Amino acid sequence: MTVDRRTFLKIAGLGALGTTGVYSLPVLGSPESGPGGHGVPAPGGTRWGMVIDLAACRHDEGCRDCIEVCGRVHNVPHHDDPRHEIKWIWKVPYPEAFPMQQHEYQEPALLGMAVPVMCNHCDNPPCVRVCPTQATWKRSDGVVMMDWHRCIGCRYCMAACPYGSRSFNWVEPREALEHQDPGFPTRTRGVVEKCNFCEERLAKNELPACVTACPHGALTFGNLADPDSPVRRILAGRMAIRRKPSLGTHPEIFYLV
Amino acid sequence: MLENAFHGDRRYWTWIGFLLVLMGVGAFFYLQQLRYGLGITGMSRDVSWGFYIAQFTFLVGIAASAVMVVLPYYLHDVKVFGRITVLGEFIAVSAVTMCLAFIIIDLGQPQRALNMVLHPSPRSILFWDMIVLNGYLVLNVIITRVTLDAERNGEAPPRWIRPVIILSIPWAISIHTVTAFIYSGLAARPFWMTAILAPRFLASAFSSGPALLILLCLILIRFTKFDPGWEAIQKLALVVTYAVLANIFFVLMELFTALYSDIPEHLLHFRYLYLGLDGHHELVPWMWTSAFLVVASAVILVTPRLRRQKRWLVAACIGVVVAMWIEKGLGMVVTGFVPSPLETVTRYVPTFPEVAITVSVYALGALMVTVFYRIALSVRGELAG
C-alpha cells in the first residue's frame, strides 16, 4: 500500500512538473476525455481550484517568485508602511496560516516554514455575502471577483474574510508602482482588492501567473469539478488540508502538508 | 419654527461659534482625507475599522435610547415624561445624523455611496442598516415636527401621528439590533460572533442614552426656565439603573463563556482588552477605567439615597456615559481585529486628523441638539427670561 502511494506520488509529481512547462489550460482538464478546457464545460461544470505542495515549496524558503510575478502582472503597489500593504499572494509562518491545525511537537521545519497564502476563492464566500453593493461576487467557475469601479470602500468584506486575504488602498496606489503593466488595470485609492485567480489569464486559456512562475512546481491549478483534472488526481491520492475548514467557507485552495 | 434658532444671547452665540470652529477644523482635515485617502487615519490592513465605525456604533445606541422615554409615555401613560419625549426624539435625530456622517466619512469612495441604493444587496446587513437608520431618522423628524407644531398651536397632535410614534418604538430596537448583526454574523471575528451582542448593545444604549438625557435636562434646568420635574428625572434614573445592571450581567455572561470554555480564539480578544497581548496594552487602562466607572455608577444608582441626590446622580450619569463610550467607542470595534484572523497583533491608535474629524461630527450633533432644544423651548416659551 505504501509502495502504491509512493508510485502515485512520483506520477503526480511528474504531472505537476509537466504543467509548469505547458501553459495552456486544456492540460488542466483531461484532454483524453474531451471536455474540461476553457469554453468547453467539463462534466461537472468548472470550479477552479489550486493545490499547494508545502513540501515542494519549503525547498526554497527565500523564494518569492510567485509573489513577485503576481505583483508585476497585476500592478500590485508596494508601500513601505506595513499598515498600508497590498497583498495578493504572500507568505506567512505555518502557525499563522493554520492557527487551529498545529501542535508543539510538529516537525520544527514545518512550524517554521513560510506558507504561501492568498484569496481562497471560497465556495461559500463571506465577503460576497456582506458586500452592500455586489462589488464582489462569485462567478459560476468559482472565482471570487471584484469590481473596483463599484466598490465604495466600506471594508465590510475585510472584516468578514477569515483569512485576511483582502487589502484596502489606504493611499494612492499608482504612486507606489515601480513598473506599470498596461495590460492590467491599476486601482484608485479607497477601494478593496485581492487575488483574482488570474481571471484575465484564465480567459486566454493560460494558467495563473503564480503557478507558471513557481520553479518548484509547488502550485497546481485545475478544475475541481473534473475528476480527471490534475488537482483532483492529487487530492484523491494525498491528505490535503484547507485553512479554517470549520467555518464552512469551503476554500478552493488546498495544502499538501 | 426654525427662526427661533437665530435669536439668542451672547452665551448662545459663543457656544454656536465654538461648535462651528470645531466643525471647520474637522472639515479641513476631512478634505485632506479626501485628497490623501484613509491612510491619514491610524487604520491598517489588519485593523480595517477604527474610531469612525466605533463612534457610529456608540451613537446608534444613543439614537435608539429615545425609546426609553417614548415607550413609557405612549404605551404606559407615564405622564411625567410628557415634557421630555420630544427632547429624547431630538437626541435621536441628531445621533442618527451623526451615525450617517460617520459611515460616509469612513468610506474609501464616498461619492459612490449611492451604489448601495443602485445595487441593493439584501444579503448584506449594511443594506438593512441603511434602511433602518434612514427610516428611523425620517420617523423621528416627522414625529418631532408634528408634535411640536401641535404644541405651538396649542392643540392636540393629529390622530395619525400616534401609530407613527408607536412604530418608532420597535424601530428603535431594530436600529441597534441590525447594527449588532453587522458584527455578530461574522465567522471571521470570534470576538463579535456572540448572540448576546445585540442584547448587550441595547442594554448599554438604554443606560448611556437616558443618562445623557438626564445630564442635558439638568443643563437646561440650570440655564433656562425648562423644568421637566424631579420625578421625571428620577424615573429616567431608574431606567438607567436597570439598564446598567443588565449590561453588567451581559458582560459577565460573555466573560464566563470565553474564560471557562478556554477557546484561544475567543479568549485572546478578552486578553487583549483587559491584560494586553504581545506587548500591546493600548486599551487596557481604558477598559479598566470603564469597568470601574460602570460598577461605581451602578452602586450609586442602586442606592436610593444616593440616586435621589442631584450631585451623586450627575456623577453616576457621567460615569455611565463615559464607561459606555469607552466600551463601544474604543474597545468593541478594534478588539474584533486584534488579534487578526492570522493571530497577529497590530497596533491601532487614531491619528490627530482622525480625532479632529471625529470631534467635528460630535460638534455637528451638539449643534443640532442645541438648535432643536432652543426651538422646542421657545415654542413652549421656556427660554431664559
Side-chain angles (χ1 to χ4, degrees):
Chain A
M1 194 150 154
T2 328
V3 178
D4 279 356
R5 189 170 162 273
R6 251 194 211 142
T7 321
F8 179 82
L9 287 184
K10 274 185 196 150
I11 298 166
L14 280 175
L17 273 178
T19 54
T20 58
V22 191
Y23 297 137
S24 68
L25 272 187
V27 303
L28 297 172
S30 46
E32 311 91 321
S33 61
H38 187 75
V40 190
T46 309
R47 187 60 98 207
W48 297 124
M50 192 186 281
V51 178
I52 300 179
D53 185 350
L54 294 184
C57 185
R58 73 207 253 202
H59 280 315
D60 196 353
E61 284 285 297
C63 174
R64 290 177 48 87
D65 289 5
C66 56
I67 301 167
E68 271 158 22
V69 73
C70 174
R72 216 164 39 238
V73 302
H74 295 125
N75 293 322
V76 177
H78 176 79
H79 300 292
D80 291 326
D81 188 341
R83 292 184 308 138
H84 299 161
E85 266 180 320
I86 309 284
K87 298 192 258 194
W88 283 38
I89 177 170
W90 74 105
K91 284 179 164 184
V92 297
Y94 178 87
E96 289 180 19
F98 300 100
M100 306 303 274
Q101 297 168 70
Q102 49 149 324
H103 57 82
E104 58 263 53
Y105 308 115
Q106 242 156 349
E107 201 187 338
L110 180 68
L111 285 180
M113 92 160 280
V115 176
V117 292
M118 63 184 102
C119 170
N120 278 302
H121 296 277
C122 303
D123 203 27
N124 181 19
C127 53
V128 169
R129 200 182 312 146
V130 301
C131 178
T133 60
Q134 296 164 35
T136 192
W137 72 97
K138 194 185 77 172
R139 253 173 22 180
S140 60
D141 61 1
V143 178
V144 175
M145 300 281 289
M146 269 295 304
D147 182 343
W148 296 309
H149 297 279
R150 189 184 284 186
C151 174
I152 59 174
C154 70
R155 311 189 294 292
Y156 199 4
C157 55
M158 293 176 77
C161 176
Y163 308 102
S165 295
R166 288 174 165 266
S167 307
F168 180 72
N169 285 286
W170 298 100
V171 293
E172 178 58 51
R174 287 167 193 135
E175 287 163 12
L177 287 175
E178 278 167 35
H179 306 285
Q180 194 172 315
D181 185 341
F184 196 79
T186 55
R187 271 75 70 193
T188 178
R189 64 176 181 277
V191 298
V192 170
E193 60 179 79
K194 65 168 195 75
C195 158
N196 66 347
F197 239 8
C198 280
E199 59 89 16
E200 79 284 358
R201 293 167 64 92
L202 296 181
K204 292 187 289 185
N205 263 6
E206 289 170 17
L207 281 166
C210 54
V211 176
T212 59
C214 179
H216 309 288
L219 311 179
T220 309
F221 183 83
N223 182 5
L224 289 167
D226 177 0
D228 292 323
S229 68
V231 279
R232 281 289 296 274
R233 267 179 277 158
I234 297 174
L235 293 176
R238 285 184 65 183
M239 164 72 189
I241 58 173
R242 300 197 270 192
R243 295 174 69 198
K244 303 198 176 176
S246 61
L247 301 183
T249 53
H250 297 288
E252 308 281 41
I253 311 274
F254 296 80
Y255 291 87
L256 304 176
V257 182
Chain B
M1 265 197 279
L2 196 63
E3 70 276 5
N4 295 311
F6 292 96
H7 302 287
D9 54 12
R10 251 183 97 101
R11 209 169 45 198
Y12 175 72
W13 285 113
T14 312
W15 171 241
I16 297 281
F18 170 68
L19 294 176
L20 287 174
V21 168
L22 289 183
M23 287 167 66
V25 173
F28 169 79
F29 282 110
Y30 183 61
L31 288 176
Q32 298 243 305
Q33 181 184 299
L34 279 182
R35 200 172 320 141
Y36 180 75
L38 278 161
I40 204 169
T41 69
M43 290 184 276
S44 60
R45 194 180 185 282
D46 279 344
V47 185
S48 48
W49 280 342
F51 218 40
Y52 298 150
I53 293 296
Q55 304 317 306
F56 153 78
T57 310
F58 172 73
L59 289 166
V60 171
I62 298 293
S65 71
V67 77
M68 284 291 107
V69 284
V70 173
L71 187 148
Y73 181 67
Y74 286 98
L75 290 189
H76 299 289
D77 209 23
V78 176
K79 289 265 191 309
V80 290
F81 280 171
R83 308 197 62 70
I84 53 172
T85 46
V86 78
L87 301 186
E89 289 156 351
F90 275 140
I91 292 184
V93 172
S94 314
V96 175
T97 308
M98 285 189 266
C99 291
L100 297 173
F102 275 118
I103 290 284
I104 298 294
I105 284 169
D106 190 67
L107 292 182
Q109 292 284 334
Q111 74 279 19
R112 296 182 189 166
L114 279 180
N115 278 359
M116 285 184 68
V117 183
L118 297 173
H119 310 286
S121 319
R123 294 227 299 165
S124 172
I125 301 296
L126 270 189
F127 170 81
W128 294 105
D129 214 37
M130 169 184 75
I131 290 179
V132 292
L133 283 176
N134 283 293
Y136 192 65
L137 179 62
V138 171
L139 280 179
N140 278 289
V141 166
I142 294 174
I143 292 168
T144 47
R145 171 83 215 203
V146 169
T147 50
L148 213 54
D149 240 357
E151 203 170 320
R152 183 179 58 173
N153 301 335
E155 55 196 30
R159 286 171 62 94
W160 61 264
I161 197 69
R162 196 177 157 83
V164 178
I165 294 170
I166 302 298
L167 176 66
S168 81
I169 294 171
W171 205 290
I173 310 286
S174 83
I175 62 167
H176 221 15
T177 307
V178 174
T179 302
F181 284 176
I182 291 178
Y183 302 101
S184 66
L186 301 182
R189 311 286 168 185
F191 180 65
W192 297 336
M193 209 189 71
T194 159
I196 203 140
L197 200 68
R200 208 184 132 180
F201 271 17
L202 287 167
S204 70
F206 295 159
S207 53
S208 55
L212 183 68
L213 186 55
I214 290 176
L215 294 172
L216 289 176
C217 282
L218 293 175
I219 291 173
L220 289 182
I221 290 171
R222 183 167 188 150
F223 291 110
T224 69
K225 283 188 282 185
F226 168 80
D227 189 3
W230 189 239
E231 200 195 331
I233 302 266
Q234 281 299 301
K235 267 229 148 49
L236 269 179
L238 210 57
V239 171
V240 179
T241 309
Y242 278 109
V244 163
L245 294 178
N247 192 60
I248 292 175
F249 180 57
F250 290 164
V251 171
L252 290 177
M253 282 165 75
E254 258 203 278
L255 281 172
F256 169 78
T257 312
L259 297 182
Y260 194 80
S261 68
D262 216 18
I263 300 174
E265 56 176 33
H266 290 265
L267 205 60
L268 287 176
H269 295 287
F270 287 97
R271 180 181 286 272
Y272 172 69
L273 266 185
Y274 291 104
L275 298 173
L277 196 63
D278 290 358
H280 289 269
H281 304 91
E282 289 90 44
L283 288 174
V284 175
W286 292 96
M287 291 315 292
W288 285 108
T289 307
S290 172
F292 167 77
L293 287 174
V294 166
V295 172
S297 306
V299 169
I300 295 173
L301 288 166
V302 293
T303 316
R305 202 157 40 83
L306 296 179
R307 188 176 64 231
R308 288 195 198 112
Q309 291 179 46
K310 197 160 89 181
R311 261 182 318 147
W312 286 102
L313 181 62
V314 167
C317 286
I318 293 174
V320 167
V321 173
V322 172
M324 297 306 166
W325 180 78
I326 293 173
E327 204 181 292
K328 272 163 143 175
L330 281 184
M332 208 288 292
V333 170
V334 172
T335 308
F337 294 99
V338 185
S340 76
L342 279 71
E343 299 201 341
T344 52
V345 178
T346 306
R347 178 184 157 88
Y348 166 78
V349 176
T351 59
F352 181 77
E354 199 174 356
V355 174
I357 292 170
T358 302
V359 168
S360 75
V361 177
Y362 275 100
L364 168 73
L367 183 76
M368 290 176 73
V369 168
T370 307
V371 167
F372 288 150
Y373 279 16
R374 186 162 190 93
I375 292 171
L377 296 196
S378 50
V379 163
R380 293 174 178 166
E382 284 175 337
L383 283 175

